[in-house]
Amino acid sequence: MFKNNRSLKFSKRVGERYGWFKAFDDVVPFIFSYLDNNEWKIIEEWYKETDEKSLIGEASVPFMSILQGLVMGNSIQRVVQLGHYAGYSTLLLGFMLRKMKKKHSLVTIDIDAFISDFTSSWVKKAGLTDYIKVINSDSTDLESMKVAVKYLQDEPQMVIIDSSHQYQHTKNELNLWYKTLRMGGFLVLHDTSEFSSQYDMTNKGGVYKAFVDWCIEEKIKSSINIFPFGNSAEENTYLDVNGIGIIQKRNF
Ligand SMILES: C[S@@+](CC[C@H](N)C(=O)[O-])C[C@H]1O[C@@H](n2cnc3c(N)ncnc32)[C@H](O)[C@@H]1O
């Protein structure tokens, strides 16, 4: 374990985004500790600016830690992300891919133009423009999918879904991106918990129901949905109440 105290101070900060860090008051999560000093400086500045601008909506330490294990543990070099918001997961994934020297390795798509400009500006600030392409569009747009595959120069090995939280839209994303995924690759979804169904503005059961129904409809044999036993972090071993779902593309 690297000896640095980077995010330890976060455990004392108030506010929803810092809640995760109560569990990390004496250890720096690996998603931060392995960064070099310049990368960590970027993350610290990103927290400062997004705190000031109230751009809060990033994924959790447990979710990012699983992504890090999958990406860095398998030398993955072609990733698509659906939903980047203010750029947190984009920067952390970009740093992972740069450590592995994988250029043109992440395409990230978001429907919000303001937020896409914001994320692009941070990608530039972090020196990650050789590694990441930011696209402003709906995540089910066929043209964007083609642009993504062209940029990555082959089928994605991993598609991360963290976007609308809506039942039908999530199923549309699963339909489109599963087809595009390399055989053996992963679809990784945030917000697959029952608790997170509440984020679905259409009230149709959100990512949770989309994940369950789609896996049954498509006869998916290789999937896992980890979501909490209760509704609070204290009750759980996996600390993110929003859960994580992973589907592996297989032909048997
Ligand atoms: C929870 S945030 C993503 C957080 C990000 N993955 C992170 O950890 O930093 C969800 C994002 O999905 C985007 N979104 C919502 N509907 C979408 C759609 N139909 N297509 C693409 N992006 C969408 C929103 O604009 C928002 O920025």
Side-chain angles (χ1 to χ4, degrees):
M1 186 60 67
F2 288 81
K3 291 207 183 311
N4 54 48
N5 56 11
R6 297 180 166 174
S7 57
L8 296 188
K9 53 186 176 283
F10 290 178
S11 67
K12 298 194 178 54
R13 291 188 186 169
V14 285
E16 202 187 332
R17 74 162 18 155
Y18 294 110
W20 308 110
F21 293 96
K22 301 272 178 288
F24 296 98
D25 60 350
D26 61 357
V27 64
V28 178
F30 198 65
I31 55 168
F32 295 150
S33 65
Y34 88 106
L35 298 176
D36 68 30
N37 287 338
N38 290 333
E39 290 164 347
W40 173 246
K41 198 161 160 266
I42 290 283
I43 294 296
E44 269 194 313
E45 285 168 10
W46 180 91
Y47 269 102
K48 187 166 178 286
E49 185 173 343
T50 53
D51 267 343
E52 281 162 12
K53 296 188 167 155
S54 292
L55 293 174
I56 295 161
E58 67 276 10
S60 63
V61 171
F63 185 80
M64 291 310 305
S65 301
I66 290 186
L67 290 187
Q68 183 178 29
L70 289 173
V71 171
M72 297 191 79
N74 297 287
S75 195
I76 282 179
Q77 52 191 310
R78 296 186 303 278
V79 181
V80 174
Q81 173 177 248
L82 313 180
H84 44 250
Y85 194 54
Y88 177 78
S89 52
T90 308
L91 291 174
L92 291 179
L93 286 164
F95 291 147
M96 293 171 205
L97 292 160
R98 184 167 66 186
K99 280 274 189 283
M100 302 191 304
K101 303 185 174 63
K102 314 284 189 202
K103 289 190 176 174
H104 276 235
S105 49
L106 172 63
V107 176
T108 184
I109 303 175
D110 199 292
I111 201 166
D112 188 313
F114 167 79
I115 221 67
S116 294
D117 285 348
F118 188 83
T119 290
S120 294
S121 72
W122 277 96
V123 165
K124 206 167 167 202
K125 238 180 260 185
L128 290 169
T129 48
D130 285 346
Y131 297 82
I132 302 174
K133 182 170 187 63
V134 178
I135 298 179
N136 173 217
S137 83
D138 188 285
S139 51
T140 57
D141 178 61
L142 198 58
E143 285 312 307
S144 301
M145 188 267 274
K146 289 181 188 160
V147 172
V149 173
K150 193 166 177 215
Y151 179 80
L152 298 173
Q153 292 168 15
D154 207 344
E155 298 161 319
Q157 295 165 289
M158 178 185 287
V159 177
I160 302 156
I161 302 182
D162 188 15
S163 61
S164 69
H165 306 125
Q166 293 175 11
Y167 176 78
Q168 191 53 53
H169 184 259
T170 303
K171 280 180 96 178
N172 296 346
E173 290 178 317
L174 289 168
N175 282 329
L176 177 70
W177 290 98
Y178 188 78
K179 276 194 207 99
T180 321
L181 196 65
R182 179 198 204 189
M183 190 57 70
F186 300 111
L187 292 179
V188 183
L189 297 91
H190 195 218
D191 306 300
T192 47
S193 70
E194 247 179 309
F195 172 82
S196 306
S197 306
Q198 64 186 299
Y199 308 145
D200 182 355
M201 300 303 198
T202 64
N203 283 324
K204 296 219 170 90
V207 182
Y208 168 67
K209 194 163 185 308
F211 182 89
V212 172
D213 288 358
W214 190 83
C215 285
I216 293 170
E217 285 158 19
E218 298 300 319
K219 301 187 176 51
I220 297 293
K221 293 202 187 102
S222 188
S223 71
I224 182 169
N225 190 0
I226 301 171
F227 63 91
F229 174 75
N231 283 346
S232 73
E234 291 72 32
E235 289 173 273
N236 293 298
T237 300
Y238 183 72
L239 294 178
D240 182 353
V241 293
N242 296 306
I244 181 168
I246 304 178
I247 294 166
Q248 188 191 25
K249 181 166 173 174
R250 301 178 73 103
N251 54 6
F252 60 92

